[in-house]
């Protein structure tokens, strides 16, 4: 009845008040003993010795009272009220997590589209601007990776710490770009290109020799191991950022198509892995996918593979409509409008025989398509199966140094390295594929 519930309520309030009063009494008791204890310690050495037993007694009483309070608290925590409070807090946390996830997704999508439109605007500006973009991204990425192992308290004692790191980076950049951009210089100033071409290797080697000597001279006693580790890290990052992206410049020279295609395949794979993982992650396959990236799932990986291969087959049909995209830089130098550009045979449709086992399923013995579509599918497979390991490698770095993102430069995405981790090896793969299967290099007649 209501009267019994009211009586229980009043009793509970009284008991709760008594508990609060007892807690205050316990606190006062503890504080009183603490005050006596500290006063006793300030007494003369003779009095201190006399009061040793008293102090021990006070400590014992303080500990006993603390145990009683902790025991009471333990019983309360095990009660239904505390469990109900915990459930409410968990529900609030889940709601906040969903809201936070939605905000992050919207921010990610918004700035994702901003990056895509900015990227397309730079591509539309021309080959030189795209090369400048690649170089700028390389600089930002090196900065992020160099900061990963930067320890200010050690770096300030090491002479020319930052100078040496950036010196090696720009030495590698000079070697790669001065060689790769000679084709561009020929179009701008043929005489200048001819005058510097014979000295390219000599200037690159001179920079290398100078950096080698400066690095050795900078070694300082007590910091040898730290400097060696930093030097090894610098060389690894230089290889990842500079020498892999050397192929990106060659891809741009071969035609904007060969730069835009691999970039788009990686972006497609990344997006599809995210959405497939969100929709089906850990529902079909419970076994963990990759310990380095616990948020990655088999469903996301397999779904991204299928969608990327479909995208890779269809996307070239869109790109080949623009002759400006499929023409090489050498062709565009002669005719910037691309009207007289000679179209490569991989962009011209051909008839392909369907295997007899699939004729009944397809309903035709031959199919007409572009050769570049098959090349694109192969690149799409690489973008799905191998390129993601660039992301896993980046995850390993972040886990090793206990960081969430490499930077906070792009809201919702992190740093440049967080977006470029798969692009490095993808650009390299495209360059190797182009010079092996599309336009093989001529064997040396030595």
């Amino acid at each position: 009845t209501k009267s019994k519930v009211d009586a229980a309520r009043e009793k509970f309030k009284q008991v709760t008040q008594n508990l609060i009063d007892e807690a205050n009494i316990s606190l006062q008791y503890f504080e009183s003993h603490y005050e006596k204890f500290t006063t006793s310690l300030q007494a003369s050495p003779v009095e201190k010795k006399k009061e040793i037993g008293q102090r021990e007694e006070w400590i014992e009483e303080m500990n006993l009272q603390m145990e009683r309070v902790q025991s009471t608290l333990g019983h309360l925590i095990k009660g239904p009220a505390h469990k109900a409070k915990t459930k409410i807090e968990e529900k609030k946390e889940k709601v906040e997590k969903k809201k936070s996830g939605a905000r992050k997704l919207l921010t990610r999508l918004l700035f994702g589209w901003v990056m895509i439109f900015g990227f397309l605007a730079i591509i539309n500006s021309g080959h030189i601007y795209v090369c400048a973009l690649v170089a700028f991204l390389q600089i930002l990425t090196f900065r992020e990776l160099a900061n990963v192992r930067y320890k200010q308290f050690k770096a300030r004692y090491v002479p020319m710490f930052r100078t040496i790191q950036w010196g090696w980076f720009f030495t590698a950049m000079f070697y790669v770009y001065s060689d790769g951009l000679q084709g561009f210089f020929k179009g701008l100033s043929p005489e200048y290109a001819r005058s510097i071409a014979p000295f390219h290797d000599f200037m690159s080697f001179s920079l290398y020799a100078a950096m080698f000597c400066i690095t050795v001279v900078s070694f300082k006693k007590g910091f040898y191991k730290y400097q060696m580790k930093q030097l090894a890290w610098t060389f690894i990052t230089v290889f990842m950022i500079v020498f892999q992206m050397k192929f990106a410049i060659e891809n741009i020279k071969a035609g904007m198509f060969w730069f835009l295609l691999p970039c788009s395949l990686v972006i497609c794979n990344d997006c599809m892995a995210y959405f497939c993982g969100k929709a089906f992650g850990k529902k079909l396959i419970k076994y963990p996918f990759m310990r380095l990236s616990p948020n990655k799932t088999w469903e996301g990986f397999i779904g991204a593979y299928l969608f990327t291969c479909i995208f890779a087959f269809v996307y070239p049909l869109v790109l080949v409509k623009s002759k400006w995209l499929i023409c090489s830089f050498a062709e565009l130098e002669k005719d910037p409008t691309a009207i007289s550009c000679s179209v490569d045979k991989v962009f011209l449709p051909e008839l392909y025989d369907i295997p007899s086992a699939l004729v009944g399923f397809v309903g035709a013995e031959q199919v007409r398509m572009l050769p570049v579509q098959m090349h694109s599918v192969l690149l799409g497979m690489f973008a799905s199966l191998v390129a993601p390991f660039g992301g896993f490698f980046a995850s390993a770095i972040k886990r090793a140094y206990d960081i969430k993102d490499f930077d906070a430069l792009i809201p919702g995405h992190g740093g440049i390295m967080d977006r470029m981790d798969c692009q490095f090896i993808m650009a390299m793969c495209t360059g190797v594929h182009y010079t092996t299967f599309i336009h093989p290099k001529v064997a040396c007649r030595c």
Side-chain angles (χ1 to χ4, degrees):
T1 60
K2 187 175 183 301
S3 59
K4 286 185 177 180
V5 174
D6 287 341
R9 180 170 176 263
E10 289 301 320
K11 187 177 180 181
F12 185 81
K13 287 169 70 176
Q14 184 61 46
V15 170
T16 304
Q17 187 59 50
N18 291 341
L19 189 63
I20 293 169
D21 292 341
E22 286 299 323
N24 287 327
I25 291 168
S26 294
L27 180 61
Q28 289 171 10
Y29 180 83
F30 194 94
E31 289 292 329
S32 171
H33 276 53
Y34 177 77
E35 213 172 297
K36 287 187 284 186
F37 185 85
T38 52
T39 304
S40 173
L41 290 176
Q42 292 171 1
S44 63
V46 177
E47 290 178 350
K48 273 185 188 180
K49 282 185 179 180
K50 289 181 182 179
E51 294 179 355
I52 285 175
Q54 184 66 56
R55 285 198 299 272
E56 288 176 353
E57 188 179 330
W58 288 336
I59 290 171
E60 190 177 336
E61 289 176 358
M62 289 162 74
N63 287 333
L64 182 63
Q65 191 64 25
M66 188 185 296
E67 285 175 10
R68 292 283 187 272
V69 173
Q70 285 177 335
S71 176
T72 305
L73 183 63
H75 286 297
L76 288 172
I77 287 172
K78 291 175 183 177
H82 187 80
K83 289 178 181 177
K85 182 193 173 188
T86 305
K87 285 182 181 178
I88 291 168
E89 287 177 350
E90 285 176 356
K91 284 181 181 178
K92 284 182 179 178
E93 192 177 337
K94 283 180 181 178
V95 171
E96 286 297 321
K97 199 172 182 180
K98 284 182 179 179
K99 287 181 180 178
S100 175
R103 284 195 296 267
K104 283 180 181 178
L105 179 60
L106 287 172
T107 305
R108 190 181 181 91
L109 289 172
L110 174 63
F111 281 90
W113 282 109
V114 168
M115 285 191 292
I116 288 170
F117 283 117
F119 179 63
L120 294 176
I122 292 172
I123 283 179
N124 191 56
S125 301
H127 296 66
I128 296 292
Y129 293 96
V130 177
C131 287
L133 171 67
V134 172
F136 181 63
L137 292 176
Q138 285 176 289
I139 292 169
L140 292 179
T141 308
F142 182 79
R143 171 187 159 273
E144 290 175 1
L145 286 173
N147 285 338
V148 166
R149 281 185 52 84
Y150 180 69
K151 294 180 181 178
Q152 191 173 4
F153 71 96
K154 283 190 175 181
R156 63 184 178 183
Y157 297 111
V158 178
M160 298 184 293
F161 177 81
R162 286 291 200 190
T163 305
I164 289 169
Q165 282 189 314
W166 284 99
W168 281 112
F169 173 72
F170 282 113
T171 298
M173 288 284 280
F174 177 83
Y175 175 75
V176 169
Y177 276 85
S178 59
D179 183 32
L181 293 178
Q182 283 184 31
F184 295 116
F185 289 139
K186 285 178 184 176
L188 298 173
S189 176
E191 291 181 4
Y192 176 73
R194 282 195 297 270
S195 64
I196 66 166
F199 298 99
H200 165 258
D201 288 343
F202 175 76
M203 289 188 289
S204 300
F205 175 74
S206 298
L207 283 172
Y208 171 82
M211 281 308 306
F212 186 79
C213 294
I214 292 169
T215 302
V216 174
V217 169
S218 73
F219 290 152
K220 187 175 180 179
K221 188 178 180 180
F223 294 91
Y224 295 147
K225 187 179 287 187
Y226 176 69
Q227 286 178 289
M228 286 298 177
K229 287 179 179 178
Q230 288 297 101
L231 195 60
W233 178 251
T234 301
F235 289 157
I236 290 170
T237 53
V238 165
F239 171 77
M240 284 174 53
I241 297 167
V242 181
F243 290 103
Q244 284 191 111
M245 289 302 284
K246 176 183 186 293
F247 290 89
I249 303 300
E250 299 302 322
N251 296 341
I252 294 167
K253 287 162 67 177
M256 203 64 79
F257 175 94
W258 299 108
F259 177 75
L260 188 56
L261 176 67
C263 292
S264 302
L265 291 175
V266 169
I267 292 169
C268 173
N269 184 259
D270 191 34
C271 293
M272 289 300 103
Y274 179 81
F275 289 115
C276 290
K278 283 288 182 184
F280 308 106
K282 296 181 181 177
K283 293 178 182 177
L284 303 175
I285 304 173
K286 302 295 183 183
Y287 191 77
F289 173 67
M290 182 69 70
R291 296 188 189 279
L292 285 171
S293 298
N295 293 328
K296 307 288 184 185
T297 62
W298 282 104
E299 292 86 347
F301 185 75
I302 296 167
Y305 172 79
L306 296 174
F307 279 107
T308 304
C309 288
I310 294 168
F311 176 78
F313 186 77
V314 177
Y315 189 52
L317 297 174
V318 178
L319 296 182
V320 296
K321 291 180 180 179
S322 170
K323 287 188 76 176
W324 186 81
L325 289 176
I326 63 177
C327 284
S328 67
F329 179 75
E331 291 276 354
L332 291 173
E333 272 188 308
K334 300 171 187 174
D335 180 14
T337 62
I339 295 172
S340 62
C341 170
S342 58
V343 179
D344 198 301
K345 62 182 181 179
V346 295
F347 299 115
L348 299 175
E350 291 183 12
L351 285 172
Y352 290 88
D353 293 326
I354 301 293
S356 56
L358 298 175
V359 169
F361 178 75
V362 176
E365 293 183 354
Q366 289 185 319
V367 64
R368 189 179 181 85
M369 63 181 188
L370 306 178
V372 74
Q373 286 179 273
M374 298 306 297
H375 291 291
S376 180
V377 169
L378 290 172
L379 291 173
M381 292 170 68
F382 185 90
S384 304
L385 299 176
V386 180
F389 281 82
F392 303 147
F393 181 71
S395 295
I397 294 172
K398 288 189 280 189
R399 283 186 172 278
Y401 295 98
D402 195 25
I403 54 175
K404 187 178 182 295
D405 294 313
F406 285 97
D407 206 338
L409 192 63
I410 313 168
H413 292 266
I416 300 298
M417 181 61 187
D418 293 291
R419 294 275 58 85
M420 293 288 291
D421 47 15
C422 302
Q423 295 287 0
F424 297 127
I425 195 168
M426 191 66 216
M428 191 175 186
C429 170
T430 306
V432 172
H433 184 90
Y434 182 85
T435 56
T436 305
F437 301 108
I438 298 170
H439 285 289
K441 290 182 177 179
V442 179
C444 177
R445 297 176 180 177
C446 302

